[in-house]
Amino acid sequence: NISFSIVDAGQVSLKVYDISGKEIIDLVNGFYVPGTYNIKWNAVDSYGNQVSSGIYIYQLHTEKGIFSNSMILMR
């Protein structure tokens, strides 16, 4: 689960990348109102294929800026 909070309404994008920087999936891409959100990533890529264990980076883009963090996927 990836949790984030939005202070001002606006366009939001949440993407997951592998450690080499390749985009794995675009989880969120739309207009969000202020609030706290929990997005579940089921460890699949944009084609529905399961991804392997490893380190992944998620990146949240809002009108206020960009936030990045890493996560470890263990199967």
Side-chain angles (χ1 to χ4, degrees):
N1 288 325
I2 301 171
S3 300
F4 62 91
S5 295
I6 302 296
V7 178
D8 298 322
Q11 199 67 23
V12 174
S13 171
L14 177 63
K15 296 182 180 186
V16 176
Y17 298 89
D18 67 14
I19 198 69
S20 69
K22 178 184 170 195
E23 183 178 320
I24 300 299
I25 192 166
D26 189 356
L27 293 174
V28 167
N29 194 356
F31 187 85
Y32 277 68
V33 296
T36 300
Y37 299 90
N38 291 305
I39 305 298
K40 183 175 181 171
W41 177 44
N42 54 3
V44 296
D45 63 15
S46 57
Y47 301 105
N49 302 315
Q50 288 193 350
V51 299
S52 60
S53 297
I55 299 173
Y56 293 87
I57 309 297
Y58 62 89
Q59 197 168 65
L60 178 70
H61 290 249
T62 69
E63 294 178 8
K64 292 283 187 180
I66 300 171
F67 173 79
S68 298
N69 205 353
S70 62
M71 58 186 162
I72 298 174
L73 173 63
M74 296 188 312
R75 293 196 177 270

